[in-house]
């Protein structure tokens, strides 16, 4: 059913990606905009403040927003060029329906929405409510995340709702909840400034969160020592005091060895451990075999460097630990996160100035999007969907009997497996491009082809949307009012700069229209985004992610408010746990024993090389937006295979030679970039590209048992040089099919 | 009559150790109307095979600019604020003398315009009291625009250097390179 309706060349020729280098009408008149709108970047979790210049209902440029406290005007190349996604030639301006053999043709809104409604009803009548699933995304505002959670459960009445944060930082969320009972970075990044030691692990900060590097340098200027853990010499690692070049998949062994070293050399905060934590003895006992010698053997890091790192960490008076997908995209991502938290708790450096811990959210609303209920196991306010009291409260807010509130559904990857099994027959997705962003994407494509009906809400026809029956032309970031929550936990305002062009509609209005058609109009009556936010505030009240005291006006007045903020006279909470009362039932922080285990796939004779994946500075996630902006594509026109000269020599691979990389899931071809800045046993491919250039046709769908996040960051591959050479930028129009 | 608000105590500082090679500066520079949307700042890998180190190439705004000296058409001027301007469109003959003469390798002859173009330190912004676009957006602040007092307070381990020795020739500039504390000049062999 959902095979491509036409050859990909036909679809791409019409819907792109095409490269936009400048506003369509050129730049004239840009000096005198109709409006200058203070909002935030649409990309990563830093959510840098930016001003958009608007002329004739189009975003025609940007001006740095110097007053916004986090970035004070600073931006990365994606932020600078983000305005070019507005008024882009590929922008969907009206709903589309698939036409077999031809591709897509416009359809009016009424019949489009009618078809979607009829398909949902038909599938649910035949196979049950849960046979229709919803996949949401965390580039959406808090308001839209909340709305999607309510829409799926109240209007569609399905349990099977999940979100693309499942590919991002759910391991961190699960670890945070286990250890602290609450899922948020403990401090604002301003607390980095006077930290004595900063440990950055599994986070290519300089390419994925470039504006955060400023805060790290502020700390270093004040004397902070920087430890970076990464299998590559990432730009941040180049000048680090210690770079631990870890073998992918062995992070918890490193943290375990460091913890043992702290214990052996009595670099522990005994008072903090005794009074404010549980589980320390078991946790320390779990790492008693993890000597520096053992850790060197497992992680591939020189034991002396591990010792130096442990000494630095152990002796510091203040410290900050930051991690991201590098340790979370694993089948033991939660264990990795807990290993990090154990180091923080053992030294008692949390909940006080210049001490902190946190994951860095990769998606724009990676933080807020994981709090308001479009996760399969969660209700707004970070409530648990299996907890009867939580269910009763939210059912009350939504005006439905608790018995009608669906239970826990399948996670994103499990949904794909359920489609394969024939249990899920229909799918609605918004702001999610699983064909590029999920692992083992040939398997994902086969799943899409098995769907009876697939409807997609998006503003560009992304690679997954090409498989849709109906595409609903939704809205860009700058076309709706709302809020997002930054990686620091700061809730900020997203302001509408323009209205959707052509016949495109706001995502919110599309969801409300569908809800009405599905018979739930009375549950979805909102005058505007602020009304949705006000309901969200009530829904989150009393939950761990309590937004009740945050109002649009307060955000405006203070350029953001940190949650939790339980009442309107509460100023918000930039630094958590200063009172040493953690959000766990016993009020204590919990150590969790971590036993090292290998990744789900290790190298062998057939697949002798470790493959890891990640990002480049000019591209964002599945590239739906950034692969359409000319100058960003110019920086990284294609994914390169980073490989060490010794490994390249072993396989007779030469610079820029095309290499076939094969795993048990598939194979792709990538030009080699031979560099000494990567481990000798590991190759790296960035994952932003689709089709033949997709890293995710190679990666593995093994899930972390707790967070259900796939193991993107490590699998085994083999390499084969193809004696074909390309020059940088020598890209052919349909290379990415 | 328009009066400039040029803050003469503001200087430009480049700190290569902070450069993460992200090219935000290039992207932002190309937003300027006066450059024809070409970037006048360039970020390059030093030797990608062995290091991730990148460098920023920007006009150093020499006190005694050799590019202006060698210009046969008198198209390059330095103003009272020390800014060496891009070639005057009406005068530039595209001879590339400036390109060959600059010790820092900065001016570029843009073939499509048949003239030399280079950074004018965002004169449209700096003359109105703003900071140059590249330094404003630079996420790691490898590029900083501010006063000498600010930079010495913010970066106690570094010293700005604006004296460059090329063989027998000494060049002083408006743009500073951040060097290890105590450095006085940079000798280029």
């Amino acid at each position: 059913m959902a095979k491509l309706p036409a050859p990909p060349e036909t679809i791409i020729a019409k819907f792109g990606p095409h490269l936009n280098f400048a506003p369509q009408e050129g730049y004239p008149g840009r000096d005198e905009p109709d409006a200058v709108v203070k909002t935030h970047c649409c990309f990563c979790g830093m959510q840098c403040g930016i001003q958009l210049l608007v002329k004739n209902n189009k975003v025609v440029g940007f001006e740095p927003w110097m007053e916004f406290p986090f970035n004070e005007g600073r931006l990365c190349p994606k932020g600078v060029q983000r305005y070019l996604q507005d008024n882009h030639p590929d922008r969907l301006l009206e709903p589309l329906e698939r036409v077999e053999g031809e591709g897509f043709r416009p359809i009016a809104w009424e019949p489009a929405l009618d078809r979607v409604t009829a398909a949902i009803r038909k599938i649910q009548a035949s196979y049950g409510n849960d046979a229709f699933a919803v996949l949401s995304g965390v580039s959406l505002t808090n308001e839209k995340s909340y709305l999607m959670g309510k829409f799926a459960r109240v209007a569609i009445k399905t349990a099977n709702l999940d979100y693309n944060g499942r590919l991002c930082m759910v391991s961190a969320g699960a670890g945070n909840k286990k250890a602290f009972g609450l899922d948020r970075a403990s401090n604002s990044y301003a607390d980095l400034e006077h930290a004595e030691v900063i440990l950055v692990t599994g986070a290519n900060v300089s390419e994925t969160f470039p504006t955060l590097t400023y805060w790290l340098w502020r700390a270093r200027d004040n004397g902070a020592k920087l430890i970076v853990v990464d299998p590559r010499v990432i730009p941040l690692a180049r000048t680090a005091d210690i770079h631990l070049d870890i073998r992918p998949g062995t992070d918890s062994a490193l943290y375990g060895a460091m913890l043992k070293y702290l214990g052996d050399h009595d670099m522990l905060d005994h008072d903090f451990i005794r009074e404010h934590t549980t589980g320390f003895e078991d946790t320390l006992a779990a790492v008693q075999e993890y000597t520096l010698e053992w850790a060197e053997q497992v992680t591939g890091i020189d034991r002396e460097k591990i010792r130096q790192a442990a000494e630095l960490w152990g002796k510091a008076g203040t410290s900050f630990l930051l991690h991201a997908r590098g340790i979370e995209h694993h089948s033991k991502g939660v264990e990795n996160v807990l290993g990090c938290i154990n180091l923080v708790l053992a030294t008692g450096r949390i909940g006080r100035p210049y001490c902190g811990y946190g994951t860095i959210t990769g998606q724009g609303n990676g933080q807020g999007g994981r709090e308001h209920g479009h996760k399969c196991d969660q209700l707004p306010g970070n409530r648990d969907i299996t907890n009867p009291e939580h269910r009763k409260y939210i059912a009350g807010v939504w005006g439905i009997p608790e018995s009608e509130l669906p239970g826990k559904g399948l996670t994103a990857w499990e949904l794909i497996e359920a489609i394969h099994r024939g249990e899920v027959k229909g799918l609605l997705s918004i702001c999610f491009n699983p064909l590029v962003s999920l692992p083992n994407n040939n398997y994902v494509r086969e799943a899409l082809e098995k769907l009876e009906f697939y409807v997609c809400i998006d503003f560009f026809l992304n690679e997954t949307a090409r498989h849709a029956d109906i595409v609903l032309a939704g809205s860009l970031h700058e076309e709706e009012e709302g809020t997002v929550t930054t990686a620091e936990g700061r809730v900020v305002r997203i302001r509408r700069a323009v209205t959707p062009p052509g016949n495109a509609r706001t995502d919110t209005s599309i969801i409300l229209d569908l809800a009405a058609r599905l018979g739930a109009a009375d549950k979805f009556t909102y005058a505007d985004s602020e009304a949705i936010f006000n309901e969200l505030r009530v829904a989150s009240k009393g939950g761990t992610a309590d937004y009740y005291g945050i109002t649009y006006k307060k955000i405006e007045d203070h350029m953001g408010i940190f949650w939790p903020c339980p009442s309107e006279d509460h100023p918000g909470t930039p630094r958590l746990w200063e009172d040493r009362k953690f959000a766990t039932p016993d009020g204590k922080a919990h150590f969790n024993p971590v036993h090292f285990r290998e990744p789900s796939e290790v190298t062998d004779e057939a697949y002798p090389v470790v493959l890891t994946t990640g990002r480049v500075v000019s591209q964002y996630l599945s590239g739906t937006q950034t692969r359409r902006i000319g100058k960003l594509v110019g920086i990284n026109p294609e994914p390169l295979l980073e490989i060490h000269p010794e490994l390249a020599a072993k396989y007779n691979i030469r610079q820029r030679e095309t290499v076939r990389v094969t795993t048990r899931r598939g194979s792709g071809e990538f030009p080699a970039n031979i560099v000494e800045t990567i481990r000798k046993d590991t190759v790296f491919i960035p994952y932003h590209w689709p089709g033949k250039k997709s890293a995710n046709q190679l990666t593995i769908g093994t899930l972390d048992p707790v967070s259900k996040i796939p193991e993107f960051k490590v699998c085994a591959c083999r390499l084969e040089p193809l004696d074909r050479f390309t020059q940088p930028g020598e890209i052919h129009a349909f290379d990415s099919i | 009559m328009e009066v400039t608000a040029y803050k003469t105590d503001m200087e430009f500082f480049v700190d290569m150790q902070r450069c993460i090679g992200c090219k935000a500066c290039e992207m932002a520079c190309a937003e300027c109307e006066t450059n024809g949307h070409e970037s006048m700042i360039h970020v390059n890998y030093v030797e990608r095979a062995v290091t991730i180190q990148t460098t920023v190439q920007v006009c150093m705004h020499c006190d005694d600019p050799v590019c202006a000296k060698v210009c046969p058409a008198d198209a390059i001027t330095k103003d009272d604020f020390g800014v060496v301007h891009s070639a005057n469109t009406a005068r530039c003959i595209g001879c590339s003398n400036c390109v060959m003469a600059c010790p820092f390798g900065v001016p570029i002859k843009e073939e499509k315009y048949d003239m030399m173009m280079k950074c004018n330190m965002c004169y449209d912004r700096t003359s109105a009291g703003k900071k140059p676009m590249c330094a404003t957006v630079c996420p790691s602040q490898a590029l900083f625009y501010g006063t000498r007092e600010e930079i010495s307070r913010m970066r106690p381990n570094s010293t700005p250097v604006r004296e460059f020795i090329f063989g027998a020739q000494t060049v002083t500039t408006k743009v500073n390179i951040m060097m290890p504390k105590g450095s006085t000049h940079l000798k280029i062999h």
Side-chain angles (χ1 to χ4, degrees), chain A residues 197-276:
Chain A
V197 172
I198 299 170
L199 173 59
V200 178
T201 178
N204 183 0
V205 171
S206 34
E207 293 199 77
T208 52
F209 320 103
T211 52
L212 181 54
T213 55
Y214 168 78
W215 291 97
L216 295 171
W217 273 111
R218 288 258 300 234
R220 299 182 78 185
D221 287 334
N222 288 324
K225 300 292 183 189
L226 176 65
I227 305 167
V228 175
V229 186
D230 201 291
R232 297 190 300 151
V233 184
I234 53 173
L236 186 70
R238 179 172 61 78
T239 59
D241 296 281
I242 300 176
H243 171 222
L244 304 177
D245 53 339
I246 195 164
R247 181 166 68 89
T250 64
D251 304 86
S252 60
L254 169 66
Y255 312 141
M258 287 177 68
L259 183 64
K260 174 177 164 54
Y261 191 92
L262 298 183
D264 288 351
H265 296 82
D266 198 18
M267 294 187 220
L268 303 167
D269 185 338
H270 295 287
D271 291 345
F272 178 83
I273 292 169
R274 185 177 58 252
E275 290 167 26
H276 304 295

Side-chain angles (χ1 to χ4, degrees), chain B residues 6-180:
Chain B
Y6 211 105
K7 296 176 182 170
T8 49
D9 60 339
M10 302 288 267
E11 295 183 49
F12 197 100
F13 302 89
V14 181
D15 192 341
M16 302 295 187
Q17 72 170 336
R18 290 174 197 237
C19 181
I20 54 174
C22 74
K23 300 196 176 215
C25 55
E26 286 188 4
M27 302 288 118
C29 179
E31 289 299 300
C32 176
E33 318 281 328
T34 55
N35 299 342
H37 302 286
E38 305 288 346
S39 179
M40 298 293 113
I41 187 167
H42 303 283
V43 177
N44 300 300
Y45 286 112
V46 175
E47 193 176 357
R48 183 62 190 96
V50 297
T51 173
I52 193 85
Q53 167 87 63
T54 41
T55 61
V56 184
Q57 195 175 28
V58 64
C59 177
M60 302 297 286
H61 297 279
C62 302
D63 290 345
D64 187 15
V66 68
C67 60
K69 274 185 166 174
V70 301
C71 179
D74 230 3
I76 305 171
T77 54
K78 180 180 157 212
D79 68 20
D80 294 343
F81 310 116
V83 175
V84 181
H85 288 265
S86 201
N88 182 321
T89 313
R91 283 177 171 267
C92 181
I93 57 172
C95 71
S96 294
N97 267 9
C98 54
V99 176
M100 289 180 279
C102 172
F104 300 102
V106 168
I108 289 176
K109 186 191 168 198
E110 289 286 352
E111 293 299 333
K112 63 181 160 184
Y113 306 112
D114 192 28
M115 63 176 282
M116 182 279 273
M117 295 174 77
K118 57 171 273 301
C119 150
N120 65 2
M121 206 173 277
C122 270
Y123 191 74
D124 58 330
R125 300 177 71 84
T126 47
S127 63
K130 293 182 182 174
K131 297 185 175 193
M133 195 57 121
C134 60
T136 303
V137 301
C138 179
S140 61
Q141 290 291 276
L143 308 174
F144 176 76
Y145 187 77
T147 65
R148 201 158 272 265
E149 289 70 32
E150 277 179 295
I151 200 87
S152 65
R153 192 175 61 247
M154 290 164 61
R155 303 190 187 176
N157 304 319
S158 304
T159 303
V161 166
R162 53 186 292 274
E163 186 176 300
F164 301 86
I165 300 169
F166 298 90
Q169 188 185 15
T170 298
V171 177
T172 55
T173 62
K174 183 176 174 65
V175 174
N176 300 270
I177 301 287
M178 299 304 288
M179 297 290 292

